[in-house]
Amino acid sequence: MSDDTTNDGSDTELDGVAGFMQRAKGRAGSRLKQQRLSRSKLAQFLEQNAASLAADTISEGKLFQLSKVLYDYRLEEVDVTDTTCGYCAVGCRFDLYTKNGEVLASRPTDPENAPINGISTCVKGKFSYGFQNSDDRLTQPLIRKDGEFHETSWAEALDFVANRLGGIKEQHGANALGFVSSSRATNEANYVMQKFVRQSIGTNNVDNCNRLCHSPTVEALSQTLGYGASSVSRDDLKNTDCFLITGSNTTEQHPVLATLIKQNVIRGADIYVFDPRVVKIAEFTRSQYTRVRPGYDAVWINGMIRHILENDLHETEFIDERTVGFEELADSVQKFTPEYVEEKAGVPPDELKQAAEGIATADSCVFCWALGLTEQVNGTKNVISMANLALVTGHVGTPNSGVSPFRGQNNVQGGGGDMGPVPGNFPGYQKVTDDDIRQKFADAYDVELTDEDGLTITEQFLAADDGDIKGMFIMGENPAVSEPNVAHAREILEDLDFLCVQDIFLTDTAQYADVVLPATSFVESNGTFTSSTRRVQLVKQAIEPKGNAKQDWKIVQALSERFGHEWGYESSAEIMDEIASLTPIYGGISHQRLENEGGICWPCWDEDHPGTETVYLEEFNQPDGRAFLIPTDTEGPAEKPSDQYPLTLTTGRVLYQYHTGTMTHREEGLMSIAGEAFAEIHPETAADHGIQDSEYVRVTSPNGSARVLAQVTKRVNPESIFVPMHYLEDAQVNLLTNEEALDPSAHCPEYKATPVRIESETDGKRTPASTSSVGQAATPADFDISDVESSPRPGTETHPTETDS
Ligand SMILES: Nc1nc2c(c(=O)[nH]1)N[C@H]1C(S)=C(S)[C@@H](COP(=O)(O)OP(=O)(O)OC[C@H]3O[C@@H](n4cnc5c(=O)[nH]c(N)nc54)[C@H](O)[C@@H]3O)O[C@H]1N2
Ligand SMILES: Nc1nc2c(c(=O)[nH]1)N[C@H]1C(S)=C(S)[C@@H](COP(=O)(O)OP(=O)(O)OC[C@H]3O[C@@H](n4cnc5c(=O)[nH]c(N)nc54)[C@H](O)[C@@H]3O)O[C@H]1N2
Ligand code: SF4
Ligand SMILES: [Mo]
């Protein structure tokens, strides 16, 4: 299929878009005449307008038409590089067209080279490259002198960093230093970061944003099934007969997977969505949607298991042969009666029953979740409950079935976990406490290695507050915006004796640094990313680094030299060879093979092994091959609503923004669509508080307060509000969240349930300038979820898609 056609075959829509594009060209043309714009200015004009035009066209799935206009105007002689997207973990691959250090367009690559997305991408992979040439990219190391940043040479900056890290180590011990690695960066960069921390510094205090994200998933799946990762492949999502989706705003956060899922559902698969909000995948006409109360997921999942066992819908043979612990589990779920589940989790008994029966009797089922399940004090228990449900129904380790946590950052699976930048693991989930493993790495790194417990990122901040951590090195993470209780996190950063930040921008975090090191983004880097479905794929440098910026692995290598460890890597491919030699699950992976084979799923044991698309088909990754069923219970969120804070705040994301916005805030088009923070508030709650749609409201929690626009909608229930995490200054939602409410084993913060109160800031007056700039397509106040729930499963999809396909 040509990459510039759409696959819905609708002529009217094509005409519509063609007409639209014609008008866009016409407008640009007449403006060109008037202003005598140069050819490149014209292209810039089109590009700046492209994303806002896309707001109108995305819903029609016509991004490629838009792309073609840009393409025709811009392409003369260009370089074409196939690479992997640097935003989310879906793992889309495409060609970047570049010229003179600028990204001109992102277009489909050979679909064989893009096994996950084929010719699809979302708006970020398609358009969000403006950050690349933004005037404020870091291009030279900065060092703080007399309170001001000054540009300096690499030699001076790195000598200074080595000196300060070495000095703190000498004076206070290696454990007085904390390191944050980056799930935005490549596997190779993360591998060398953990190597540097363990070899040159001698601590296990290294962690990354996985902690704030899916660490409970990794913990729970390691305990139950064996691998802290998704068990399914793209084809399982394509072919399964049933989906349970919970705590995932899939259409906005993993758009290309959402399209894949919807296509399968249209072909006949069942879909059950459990979420406190009517997320768009729940509006999909074929979804059975159930609203849950934030923070009680283990309760309704245990209730489902109970119903399945009571009605003999469990897979006895599978349970006998492939699991351990069934009796204890069966006893433990007795308390989760339909009445109890309704009271605690707000799930109506008939909906629980219908979903439980649908899932248990399906031929196959994929269990999908994201942060709604994990960013809770009960995150690990929630995910263990999901694994239990998958096991009792025999829907994991069997064809077209399995667990599918939708991972977050582009490389959080690989760089955030597989590569070992975490306190307890060397690369490949090999334990630092295992003597043989530690000896293997000690031999390879030619130093003694410590088995002492390291600190997670959330613990590093708490330890710094207590004065136990004196210095931090933060690569590709923006905790001044993304940590819970940021007002306090910022004080902690400010009070550190030494802070070094390695980033592509002078971020809110970098403002507190003593030294800032300019890194390259994925567009200027070589290496690999590992997708949510364990597929290791090549990332290729499409343009030269900006100014004097350097690739992350090169910076860490240069720092290591200053501690007397000369690694001598000449390319990221050489680093992957070392990873393979020490990491059995990556044992057969090399850049050359990835080039030849277009990506490989781990485990891939040796050069002759083809990789593993679906895991556990033979056995689970546990000592005797059998999975563990582990009983769970929950008391709900750490902080419950009270008279003073009667509502529950849940936080998350929108399609058009990415996290702390360092990249997406620099895209005019995206900002024009989703430029301002908002709170989704139910109409009844708004009326109780005298709040109008589109006026400013103050949201206050025990930790702080934030000012955001009201978006009055039935998307949330009357007891909850939702605020996205992307915005800065007094609209930062992490001014409200609690840094001490952590999952006890994974140490993930409870971003998804904070008690709050709200009040009008403008006495019920709307703010006209802001009415259109809220993120998620506004849902009218009279939107009625019962229309969604009661809808039959008609033959066509009515909900617009977020992807270009
Ligand atoms: N556009 C875009 N895409 C992204 C990102 C981005 O910033 N922007 N970030 C990436 C990253 S790192 C991640 S981790 C993923 C995150 O992907 P998601 O986890 O899908 O993103 P969130 O918006 O945090 O959505 C969490 C969902 O959980 C629901 N929820 C809240 N509380 C509860 C609860 O108690 N129980 C249940 N069952 N559900 C609950 C929310 O209503 C929401 O639907 O997205 C990735 N993709
Ligand atoms: N309230 C609330 N808070 C949350 C969440 C939530 O749901 N609610 N979600 C949490 C989750 S899941 C996550 S993943 C975190 C995300 O939090 P962060 O990881 O802090 O967010 P990002 O904006 O992705 O920051 C990554 C940084 O890396 C830089 N960068 C990008 N590419 C590169 C590169 O190649 N090299 C280097 N050196 N730097 C690079 C960017 O400029 C940016 O400063 O937020 C967490 N915080
Ligand atoms: S779905 Fe994720 S990986 Fe794919 S283009 Fe969008 S942001 Fe990139
Ligand atoms: Mo994440």
Side-chain angles (χ1 to χ4, degrees), residues 205-207 211 423 454-461 742 746-747:
N205 288 349
V206 58
D207 205 20
R211 190 65 47 200
L455 297 178
T456 59
I457 177 172
T458 38
E459 290 174 312
Q460 287 183 25
F461 272 84
L742 302 177
H747 302 142

Side-chain angles (χ1 to χ4, degrees), residues 85 87-88 90-92 94 121-122 124-125 255-256:
C85 183
Y87 286 99
C88 91
V90 169
C92 297
F94 37 69
T121 50
C122 81
K124 293 180 296 306
V256 168

Side-chain angles (χ1 to χ4, degrees), residues 132-151:
Q132 201 49 53
N133 284 320
S134 145
D135 293 342
D136 55 353
R137 271 294 297 276
L138 288 171
T139 53
Q140 193 69 28
L142 303 176
I143 198 161
R144 191 187 291 279
K145 283 186 188 144
D146 305 323
E148 303 275 312
F149 283 125
H150 297 273
E151 289 195 346

Side-chain angles (χ1 to χ4, degrees), residues 208-513:
N208 67 88
C209 76
N210 169 58
R211 190 65 47 200
L212 314 175
C213 181
H214 268 290
S215 55
T217 296
V218 176
E219 179 69 30
L221 295 183
S222 306
Q223 285 183 31
T224 51
L225 310 178
Y227 292 121
S230 160
S231 76
V232 300
S233 68
R234 172 194 190 265
D235 282 354
D236 295 323
L237 292 168
K238 233 170 119 179
N239 299 327
T240 191
D241 293 317
C242 181
F243 294 96
L244 172 60
I245 300 184
T246 181
S248 157
N249 185 0
T250 327
T251 63
E252 297 204 57
Q253 267 55 88
H254 298 90
V256 168
L257 293 183
T259 302
L260 203 72
I261 291 169
K262 288 200 235 170
Q263 283 164 348
N264 182 2
V265 172
I266 289 168
R267 289 194 300 271
D270 289 331
I271 176 169
Y272 302 94
V273 179
F274 284 68
D275 200 293
R277 297 166 62 224
V278 190
V279 281
K280 286 191 186 172
I281 194 105
E283 283 179 57
F284 182 39
T285 46
R286 290 163 171 267
S287 304
Q288 179 190 310
Y289 169 69
T290 297
R291 203 195 278 285
V292 301
R293 181 169 297 138
Y296 291 88
D297 294 282
V299 172
W300 62 262
I301 302 170
N302 275 325
M304 269 197 192
I305 298 175
R306 182 181 183 278
H307 183 83
I308 288 166
L309 302 187
E310 282 239 305
N311 292 281
D312 268 339
L313 297 172
H314 53 299
E315 285 292 318
T316 321
E317 207 175 305
F318 178 94
I319 293 169
D320 289 348
E321 281 174 16
R322 300 196 58 185
T323 71
V324 179
F326 178 69
E327 295 307 324
E328 293 83 346
L329 179 75
D331 286 346
S332 74
V333 295
Q334 287 318 309
K335 98 178 223 201
F336 299 93
T337 60
E339 299 71 34
Y340 182 82
V341 171
E342 184 166 37
E343 183 204 323
K344 293 282 179 191
V347 173
D350 58 327
E351 292 180 26
L352 188 78
K353 175 174 177 292
Q354 197 168 320
E357 291 175 9
I359 290 165
T361 57
D363 287 343
S364 53
C365 183
V366 176
F367 300 83
C368 310
W369 69 89
L371 304 182
L373 232 56
T374 61
E375 287 179 338
Q376 311 270 0
V377 286
N378 295 301
T380 302
K381 290 180 184 168
N382 290 340
V383 179
I384 290 176
S385 313
M386 278 294 253
N388 290 341
L389 177 62
L391 287 165
V392 297
T393 52
H395 288 325
V396 57
T398 44
N400 299 327
S401 289
V403 292
S404 180
F406 298 137
R407 303 303 306 267
Q409 301 269 37
N410 52 314
N411 195 30
V412 67
Q413 180 62 54
D418 304 347
M419 292 301 115
V422 288
N425 292 344
F426 291 116
Y429 305 92
Q430 302 177 85
K431 299 276 166 232
V432 295
T433 46
D434 181 315
D435 292 341
D436 293 341
I437 297 289
R438 206 170 55 259
Q439 195 54 51
K440 174 172 86 169
F441 280 90
D443 291 346
Y445 296 173
D446 205 16
V447 290
E448 289 276 300
L449 291 172
T450 177
D451 65 350
E452 227 181 306
D453 268 354
L455 297 178
T456 59
I457 177 172
T458 38
E459 290 174 312
Q460 287 183 25
F461 272 84
L462 296 173
D465 193 31
D466 292 339
D468 296 334
I469 291 264
K470 309 279 184 199
M472 287 182 81
F473 187 111
I474 300 178
M475 167 170 96
E477 175 92 356
N478 193 5
V481 185
S482 58
E483 277 288 304
N485 194 0
V486 274
H488 191 210
R490 283 166 183 250
E491 281 171 25
I492 292 170
L493 290 170
E494 179 138 44
D495 288 348
L496 286 171
D497 290 354
F498 178 68
L499 174 63
C500 178
V501 170
Q502 179 169 320
D503 206 290
I504 59 174
F505 288 108
L506 195 63
T507 59
D508 285 42
T509 304
Q511 304 290 348
Y512 298 96

Side-chain angles (χ1 to χ4, degrees), residues 184 375 478 482 503 552 651 653 659-660 662 734 752:
R184 304 302 298 272
E375 287 179 338
N478 193 5
S482 58
D503 206 290
D552 287 299
T651 67
R653 298 157 166 75
H659 292 159
T660 68
T662 61
N734 281 326
K752 292 292 187 260

